[in-house]
Amino acid sequence: MEFVTRFAPSPTGYLHLGHVYSASLAFNAAREAGGRFILRLEDIDTTRCRPEFEQEIFEDLAWLGFDWEEPVRRQSDHFEDYDALLSVLFDRGLLYPCFCTRKEIAAEIARSPSAPHGPEGAVYPGTCRNLSESVRAVRYEAGEPYALRLDMARAIDTVDLASLRFMEKDKGWIACDPAPFGDVVLARKETPTSYHLAVTFDDAIQGVNHIFRGQDLFQATHVHRLLQALLNLPTPLYCHHGLISDGRGRRLAKRDKDATIKNLREYGYRAEDVIKMVTYG
Ligand code: GLU
């Protein structure tokens, strides 16, 4: 099987050293395997993505010495594909509309102090899960915005959960356990998809069979593995790598201006030294 991997940044800020780590692991693995390296722009959040960040991603990666296949897939060009997947899940009764605002969810959670916490924070209390069809119809009619949530319990019931697992580099097989996430959002009110849905589908449709990404996304893989089972998509191999931290031991984020590649480049560092900074300890 041909080795296919990818680097999938979101153009919501400048790339930093953590991105270089992901990209170089993927790029080098593809080169060693004689396989393919794909660049994908995860730009579903059209309010936060900006063309200047996109341009800078191309420039930084080229400066670092990476090359990738053209054309580059932009998720915002594929909202119809995600919509088709949502219809499939909706028709199987696995999604429901959630009209709650953030404030309402927070208030509901505050009312029940024992509300469970999952990997993405407090678990959605299920307020809209059991709305009757007639109530839903009235609220649709009134034009109330809604998100689409996965009914996690039902979704788990439709798969053979005990047989679901994924292979993690250096750890081996990991049993899939998506329940702690609760009813995750698969389409947002303002965005007709979500990270979980778009990334899972795109990796499958692009034939990606090796994924390198930060440890912060390890838990999300449980949701992705469930979606693969529900949508009959293949499961890649995963390598969730350690996160690069700043001088104070905090994980790098887009707000850390000093560690952006643009900044290091303008400061006069050489590309090979920037790569060594992350790959050799
Ligand atoms: N787009 C995500 C990010 O920039 C990465 C997604 C992934 O590698 O699965 O954090």
Side-chain angles (χ1 to χ4, degrees):
M1 203 210 305
E2 190 182 25
F3 185 106
V4 185
T5 188
R6 48 67 160 184
F7 175 55
S10 300
T12 52
Y14 295 121
L15 296 186
H16 57 61
L17 288 171
H19 293 107
V20 178
Y21 193 25
S22 284
S24 62
L25 284 177
F27 184 80
N28 292 333
R31 198 165 48 186
E32 273 163 37
R36 295 168 50 205
F37 173 76
I38 292 171
L39 172 64
R40 181 171 72 229
L41 292 172
E42 303 216 318
D43 61 346
I44 54 175
D45 185 349
T46 46
T47 57
R48 288 174 59 224
C49 293
R50 289 207 236 131
E52 73 197 73
F53 293 137
E54 198 172 298
Q55 200 44 44
E56 192 64 37
I57 288 173
F58 294 138
E59 281 173 30
D60 287 348
L61 293 178
W63 178 75
L64 287 161
F66 302 133
D67 49 34
W68 54 89
E69 295 178 9
E70 298 282 353
V72 169
R73 183 176 172 96
R74 270 190 186 74
Q75 292 188 323
S76 61
D77 290 338
H78 297 276
F79 285 135
E80 281 175 17
D81 294 357
Y82 310 130
D83 197 51
L85 300 174
L86 291 166
S87 299
V88 168
L89 296 173
F90 193 87
D91 292 348
R92 282 163 58 191
L94 300 178
L95 299 185
Y96 63 86
C98 171
F99 301 93
C100 295
T101 61
R102 278 172 203 273
K103 231 174 156 178
E104 285 163 349
I105 296 174
E108 180 71 37
I109 289 168
R111 274 194 289 276
S112 50
S114 60
H117 271 250
E120 291 178 337
V123 169
Y124 176 64
T127 324
C128 287
R129 191 187 305 125
N130 298 318
L131 293 180
S132 67
E133 276 316 317
S134 56
V135 169
R136 282 179 186 158
V138 171
R139 297 181 79 166
Y140 286 141
E141 190 61 31
E144 260 191 74
Y146 58 91
L148 290 173
R149 287 185 181 272
L150 183 69
D151 184 328
M152 185 57 82
R154 269 201 200 176
I156 286 175
D157 271 354
T158 66
V159 298
D160 175 14
L161 189 66
S163 72
L164 294 193
R165 53 188 192 164
F166 59 90
M167 177 61 91
E168 173 71 17
K169 185 171 182 291
D170 298 335
K171 283 196 183 143
W173 288 110
I174 307 286
C176 176
D177 179 24
F181 279 82
D183 293 353
V184 283
V185 169
L186 290 193
R188 308 200 162 275
K189 283 181 181 170
E190 64 288 359
T191 307
T193 182
S194 65
Y195 162 65
H196 295 311
L197 186 69
V199 80
T200 305
F201 177 68
D202 282 8
D203 283 330
I205 201 150
Q206 293 195 287
V208 171
N209 46 31
H210 286 77
I211 292 181
F212 298 84
R213 62 185 176 199
Q215 184 63 35
D216 52 331
L217 292 170
F218 175 79
Q219 293 297 340
T221 307
H222 290 279
V223 175
H224 304 173
R225 182 66 191 88
L226 174 64
L227 291 175
Q228 286 155 6
L230 294 172
L231 296 166
N232 208 11
L233 303 172
T235 304
L237 297 171
Y238 292 90
C239 168
H240 292 92
H241 59 74
L243 300 175
I244 306 280
S245 40
D246 68 7
R248 279 179 267 166
R250 290 176 320 186
R251 171 186 147 203
L252 280 185
K254 286 188 170 142
R255 60 173 183 276
D256 295 304
K257 300 277 177 292
D258 289 350
T260 64
I261 307 314
K262 179 178 160 48
N263 198 23
L264 295 169
R265 190 147 62 99
E266 286 168 2
Y267 197 76
Y269 280 101
R270 295 182 312 167
E272 60 211 84
D273 294 330
V274 170
I275 292 192
K276 276 190 201 138
M277 250 185 252
V278 292
T279 45
Y280 301 108

